[in-house]
Amino acid sequence: MTGTPTNVYAGIDTHQNTNHVGITNEIGKKLGDKEFPTTSTGYTALLNFILSFGTILAVGIEGTASYGAGVCAYLRSQGVLAKEVIRPNRQTRRGGKSDPIDAYAAAKTVAADLDDLPIPKLLGGAVDGIRLILKTRTTAVKARTAAITQTINFLTTAPTQVREKYADLKDPDLHTTLAKTRPAADDHLGIALRRLAKRVEFLTEEIDAANHQLADLTTQVAPALAATKSVGPISAAKLLVTAGENPERITSKAAFAALCGTSPLQASSGKITRHRLNKGGDRQANSALFDIVKSRMSSDPRTKEYVARRTAEAKSKREIMRCLKRYVAAEVYTLIINPPIVPAINDLRPLRESKKMSLRVVAEHFSVGQVKVSRIERAEARDDEFAAQYRDFLLQAA
């Protein structure tokens, strides 16, 4: 091409095997479009094609978490500003549907709404590894639940002799017993029950392994979040996956709350002023916040006080939980974006043992249960104030 290089926007309509790119200038004039394969060579050729029209201002990409993940990662590695473009509503496609039309539409969208479009998540890092393990764990849990349900259904309709034989057994003893059976070749019910039991045992081992791996990974990636009260490995994993590998793309606590579906929505009418449930956002993150709030409502003194105060104000339990989820979302955002230093506690148990002091003695001194002391020593619970007092007590002990 000849002439003075211009500033251009590009839009990419992504597919499993091809990417179709459309180029426009700053006033929306179509400059050209072309299709490229989803290979490393294709990504390079696509970028060179865009650069042949001028200086790239931004690229809008559809499906950055699916078909567009590869080209998005490549363009970002080359210093190109990539933004995620939501696929257009089919009802608004009055001009028809084709790859060039969608590519040009993405280019025009990124030109018009550059500052408002979201920055895509980065894939391929530690948080992406957590996402993969969490996904496989979720499918394993669903498969185990289906196998357990099917076992119960088979036993419910089984002959009386078989039903009575296993009537007093509960999971996991039931599946352990069924897995050890050796049914005859013509005992189809016995064969089916044994296969289901072995499937349940296998999936249970897989889920336990995933739980341990997620606990280790979340502690490595976000130690402050993992050490927070009532935040278990699964909840921490869900929240980290929602934030992504590049959480700095989320610009405020309010934005993170909206992403988690905990931002309040107006539901006022007349003299009644209230807010309603936000059904948008990432529902996995929302469920993680629900689990945290539910745990704190039963065990955390500050949360109990808040619930009592809001109940006295005639707030319903649902409304109180929505408020608490909003507060927890703000806390989680800070723990991910600007995490505090987590005090080390791995010296407590060796120090106690060097003083030849039992858990019972420590528990009696602080008027707490031995379980609490043991859990804090093993980093299964966090109480920074108690840990500091515990350390001072051990250091001063003769």
Side-chain angles (χ1 to χ4, degrees):
M1 297 183 63
T2 59
T4 303
T6 58
N7 295 328
V8 299
Y9 293 96
I12 303 177
D13 182 34
T14 61
H15 300 277
Q16 184 172 10
N17 299 314
T18 61
N19 291 319
H20 200 104
V21 59
I23 318 295
T24 66
N25 61 14
E26 293 180 278
I27 60 174
K29 180 181 178 181
K30 299 177 181 179
L31 302 180
D33 67 275
K34 192 174 181 180
E35 187 175 88
F36 297 90
T38 55
T39 61
S40 56
T41 303
Y43 296 153
T44 303
L46 181 147
L47 178 58
N48 291 334
F49 177 74
I50 301 174
L51 289 172
S52 67
F53 290 91
T55 303
I56 303 174
L57 295 178
V59 178
I61 306 173
E62 293 183 356
T64 57
S66 55
Y67 293 147
V71 67
C72 179
Y74 173 76
L75 291 176
R76 292 183 61 144
S77 70
Q78 300 301 308
V80 177
L81 176 60
K83 289 295 188 84
E84 182 175 7
V85 174
I86 308 301
R87 295 185 186 277
N89 190 327
R90 293 183 179 181
Q91 295 178 349
T92 63
R93 288 172 166 168
R94 297 174 184 253
K97 164 75 174 76
S98 70
D99 292 350
I101 290 176
D102 288 348
Y104 281 124
K108 292 179 180 180
T109 299
V110 75
D113 304 319
L114 179 61
D115 295 333
D116 297 329
L117 292 177
I119 298 174
K121 283 185 181 180
L122 288 177
L123 300 178
V127 175
D128 195 41
I130 293 175
R131 178 184 67 87
L132 297 174
I133 295 171
L134 186 62
K135 287 281 189 183
T136 54
R137 179 193 177 276
T138 300
T139 55
V141 169
K142 290 181 179 179
R144 183 179 66 174
T145 301
I148 293 173
T149 301
Q150 201 167 43
T151 300
I152 295 172
N153 292 339
F154 284 174
L155 287 174
T156 300
T157 58
T160 304
Q161 184 179 2
V162 176
R163 190 170 64 251
E164 292 178 349
K165 181 180 179 180
Y166 300 107
D168 296 332
L169 295 177
K170 303 297 181 182
D171 185 48
D173 294 336
L174 173 62
H175 298 100
T176 301
T177 302
L178 289 173
K180 293 179 180 179
T181 59
R182 295 294 183 268
D186 59 346
D187 183 5
H188 302 302
L189 175 60
I191 292 173
L193 290 173
R194 182 173 183 268
R195 287 176 178 172
L196 287 171
K198 293 182 75 67
R199 185 183 304 170
V200 169
E201 288 186 338
F202 173 79
L203 290 171
T204 299
E205 292 179 2
E206 181 180 325
I207 293 167
D208 290 342
N211 290 341
H212 290 304
Q213 197 166 10
L214 286 172
D216 293 339
L217 287 172
T218 52
T219 301
Q220 293 172 15
V221 174
L225 177 63
T228 301
K229 186 176 182 61
S230 300
V231 179
I234 307 305
S235 296
K238 290 178 180 179
L239 293 167
L240 285 172
V241 169
T242 299
E245 196 76 41
N246 50 333
E248 64 278 0
R249 66 194 176 86
I250 307 170
T251 56
S252 66
K253 294 179 180 180
F256 184 71
L259 186 61
C260 296
T262 59
S263 54
L265 298 180
Q266 286 284 353
S268 304
S269 179
K271 297 181 180 180
I272 300 175
T273 301
R274 61 183 296 272
H275 296 83
R276 69 168 178 86
L277 174 68
N278 184 347
K279 296 184 179 180
D282 188 322
R283 305 317 297 172
Q284 287 295 311
N286 194 279
S287 71
L289 295 175
F290 176 85
D291 291 339
I292 295 170
V293 167
K294 189 175 180 181
S295 174
R296 289 185 177 182
M297 288 176 69
S298 63
S299 62
D300 183 52
R302 289 179 58 197
T303 305
K304 288 182 178 180
E305 291 175 4
Y306 177 85
V307 172
R309 176 165 55 84
R310 299 294 276 179
T311 301
E313 297 172 0
K315 296 293 185 182
S316 67
K317 183 177 179 181
R318 287 186 175 183
E319 290 174 324
I320 294 171
M321 292 191 74
R322 290 169 195 161
C323 294
L324 286 171
K325 285 199 290 185
R326 180 65 174 82
Y327 290 133
V328 174
E331 179 186 355
V332 169
Y333 176 80
T334 301
L335 291 171
I336 292 176
I337 300 297
N338 188 24
I341 297 175
V342 179
I345 47 83
N346 55 0
D347 62 322
L348 293 177
R349 172 164 288 188
L351 185 58
R352 174 177 61 80
E353 292 175 344
S354 69
K355 302 289 185 177
K356 301 187 184 311
M357 195 176 296
S358 66
L359 284 172
R360 181 179 59 81
V361 173
V362 176
E364 290 177 353
H365 176 80
F366 288 102
S367 300
V368 298
Q370 296 183 39
V371 174
K372 176 178 180 178
V373 180
S374 178
R375 294 191 68 213
I376 288 177
E377 286 185 349
R378 290 180 283 122
E380 293 181 358
R382 183 182 176 187
D383 188 333
D384 295 344
E385 183 178 355
F386 177 82
Q389 294 174 356
Y390 181 19
R391 183 178 290 104
D392 292 340
F393 167 70
L394 293 174
L395 291 173
Q396 294 172 9

